[in-house]
Amino acid sequence: MAEPRPRRAAVASWALYDLANSAFLVGVVGMLFPLWVTKERGGNDADVAYTLAGAMLFLLVAGPLMGAFSDQAGKKLPFLAGATVVSVVATLFLGTGGLLPTLVYFAIAVAGFHVGQVLYNALLPDVSTKETRGFVSGLGIGVGYFGSLAAAGIAIGVADNYQLGFKALAALFLLVAIPLFVFLRERPRLVRHVGTSTRLRQAVVQLASTVRSTRQRPGLRQYLLARMLFTLSINTASVMAILYGTDTLELSEEEVKLIIAAGILVAIPAAFVWGLIVDRRGPKLTLTIALWGWLAVFLLLLSIPWFGLPSKLLWPIGIFIGIFMAGMWTADRPFMYKFIPEGSEGEFIGLQSLTSRASAVIGPFMWGLIAVTLGFGQPAALVALGSVLVLALMVLQGVDDRSAGGDSVVETPAAVSREPEAPA
């Protein structure tokens, strides 16, 4: 039977939530929080990096467990709503009460955001079919970049009034997240109606079974390893980009913000193009091209301080960053869905997020250790991230996405025991 076509309002609201995600990542994590710590409170890269790494330690367990638990409950939207509220409220308190309280609020906001990401990504099958998954993923990325652009505009507009920026971004996050909970109706899933404690135990059993089942899905473990490596490299560089631009390249805050905004502007149409490439040529080739592009970006960023090149070269580099970031994320979700059996989206996306959380612990810790604690500086930290990216490319080439078995069902103990749930 053909898959039912999702309602346009549901697809649009799902893509709009990506706008909220992107606004938080760019505005809070990528711009205002690092600047608030270093410029207003006299902190350094390590304060930002170690706080981010600490938040991710919690998510190493919470992410996949939340995905598996939502599968057991048969609903993801209520959990996503809770995670969204936690992130929004914590963001509202950023910049209040001094450095230490804000570091704690930031960790909570990041934790809520990333738990929400697990659940949000697991809703992709509810708003797409197998034939349109790459396009809808690209749509989400493309719309999300409007959120990034809005966040950059807010960051530029508030200048050094960081607290105002945090509040504006929290309001934006909440406002554009609401339509998802109004218009999306999750597809009926098979569940077993049991108590909370039993459901938690089932979620743990389901997660353990999912980890074991990766052996039965050729290429999955290699892809998860490659993904951990390239997200470690690129996400860490993205978070620290504004500090690299202001400290190593000695550009003003305003100029770096404008460069980031320019990259975002180019990424918006690029995401739609990348989505078409995914659907026609496959996610592996698309992702490979994007990662090679990122490696070139790293080399260009290092060439400026090494060879005394003009810092203004960051302008074209920012454009390349926008293009290749769009390609990486557009290919990532469809690539992972090649390995996911129907009905187990939450647990497998949670397992995928486990690699992201691991990389988000290791990457910022590596940056803080190399750049600040050991005193080697930001270029040395960027060299380390580039080396990790090379390793990711090597691992990725061993993954055969043509043999992935995402259309089959893995019969885990939890899956076998499920009973039909009444349609919502």
Side-chain angles (χ1 to χ4, degrees):
M1 294 180 60
E3 293 182 86
R5 294 180 62 85
R7 296 188 305 160
R8 290 182 179 180
V11 176
S13 64
W14 183 86
L16 194 61
Y17 193 93
D18 219 326
L19 188 154
N21 285 337
S22 300
F24 179 85
L25 279 177
V26 172
V28 177
V29 180
M31 288 189 177
L32 295 184
F33 180 72
L35 291 174
W36 182 88
V37 169
T38 58
K39 309 304 180 185
E40 184 164 306
R41 293 295 174 174
N44 55 41
D45 294 30
D47 294 317
V48 178
Y50 291 156
T51 301
L52 192 58
M56 295 302 162
L57 281 175
F58 165 75
L59 292 162
L60 280 173
V61 175
L65 276 181
M66 182 59 71
F69 187 69
S70 68
D71 283 340
Q72 291 290 340
K75 292 287 185 180
K76 296 173 176 60
L77 282 176
F79 300 99
L80 178 57
T84 299
V85 170
V86 167
S87 187
V88 168
V89 171
T91 301
L92 282 172
F93 284 99
L94 292 178
T96 61
L99 178 60
L100 182 57
T102 291
L103 294 179
V104 174
Y105 294 140
F106 177 71
I108 294 172
V110 168
F113 166 79
H114 281 287
V115 168
Q117 276 287 87
V118 174
L119 301 165
Y120 167 71
N121 286 331
L123 288 170
L124 179 58
D126 293 79
V127 294
S128 67
T129 63
K130 292 182 177 66
E131 291 75 21
T132 64
R133 200 149 290 162
F135 173 78
V136 173
S137 178
L139 177 65
I141 298 297
V143 173
Y145 274 110
F146 284 101
S148 301
L149 195 60
I154 290 172
I156 293 168
V158 301
D160 58 355
N161 190 345
Y162 303 116
Q163 284 184 306
L164 177 61
F166 292 138
K167 289 179 172 57
L169 287 164
L172 177 63
F173 194 161
L174 181 61
L175 181 65
V176 298
I178 289 174
L180 180 67
F181 306 106
V182 175
F183 295 110
L184 179 60
R185 296 292 180 268
E186 294 186 66
R187 294 176 182 175
R189 291 177 171 87
L190 299 178
V191 298
R192 181 183 180 187
H193 297 285
V194 295
T196 301
S197 60
T198 301
R199 202 177 295 284
L200 282 171
R201 288 195 299 270
Q202 288 179 337
V204 174
V205 171
Q206 183 178 349
L207 176 60
S209 179
T210 302
V211 173
R212 290 194 300 270
S213 72
T214 59
R215 300 175 183 174
Q216 305 169 15
R217 319 198 79 78
L220 175 57
R221 289 191 172 187
Q222 294 94 316
Y223 178 65
L224 290 175
L225 175 59
R227 189 181 191 277
M228 185 184 74
L229 294 171
F230 71 71
T231 55
L232 182 160
S233 176
I234 294 170
N235 287 351
T236 304
S238 299
V239 171
M240 298 301 170
I242 196 161
L243 298 183
Y244 189 87
T246 56
D247 296 346
T248 297
L249 303 186
E250 299 180 344
L251 296 171
S252 67
E253 291 182 28
E254 291 72 20
E255 188 166 10
V256 177
K257 289 176 183 178
L258 286 171
I259 291 170
I260 293 174
I264 293 167
L265 192 60
V266 172
I268 294 171
F272 293 96
V273 175
W274 286 114
L276 294 174
I277 295 173
V278 169
D279 286 335
R280 294 178 181 179
R281 301 302 301 272
K284 180 180 177 179
L285 177 62
T286 308
L287 182 59
T288 301
I289 294 171
L291 294 184
W292 274 109
W294 266 104
L295 188 59
V297 163
F298 280 14
L299 292 174
L300 289 171
L301 287 172
L302 287 168
S303 69
I304 296 175
W306 281 355
F307 302 111
L309 301 177
S311 296
K312 299 295 183 182
L313 283 175
L314 188 59
W315 278 96
I317 294 173
I319 300 300
F320 292 136
I321 287 175
I323 293 172
F324 296 126
M325 181 70 85
M328 183 184 74
W329 290 126
T330 301
D332 176 55
R333 282 186 289 214
F335 206 148
M336 184 63 191
Y337 269 98
K338 284 184 169 289
F339 302 101
I340 299 178
E342 186 175 352
S344 299
E345 296 88 3
E347 59 183 293
F348 274 83
I349 291 297
L351 186 61
Q352 177 197 39
S353 297
L354 182 63
T355 66
S356 296
R357 303 298 82 82
S359 69
V361 172
I362 300 169
F365 181 83
M366 179 189 300
W367 183 282
L369 180 67
I370 295 173
V372 179
T373 305
L374 297 179
F376 292 131
Q378 293 175 337
L382 192 59
V383 168
L385 295 182
S387 301
V388 172
L389 184 55
V390 171
L391 183 58
L393 278 163
M394 294 171 62
V395 174
L396 185 65
Q397 298 317 300
V399 180
D400 184 1
D401 60 342
R402 295 171 300 177
S403 64
D407 296 337
S408 61
V409 176
V410 176
E411 293 191 348
T412 66
V416 171
S417 65
R418 292 175 188 167
E419 296 173 358
E421 179 189 27

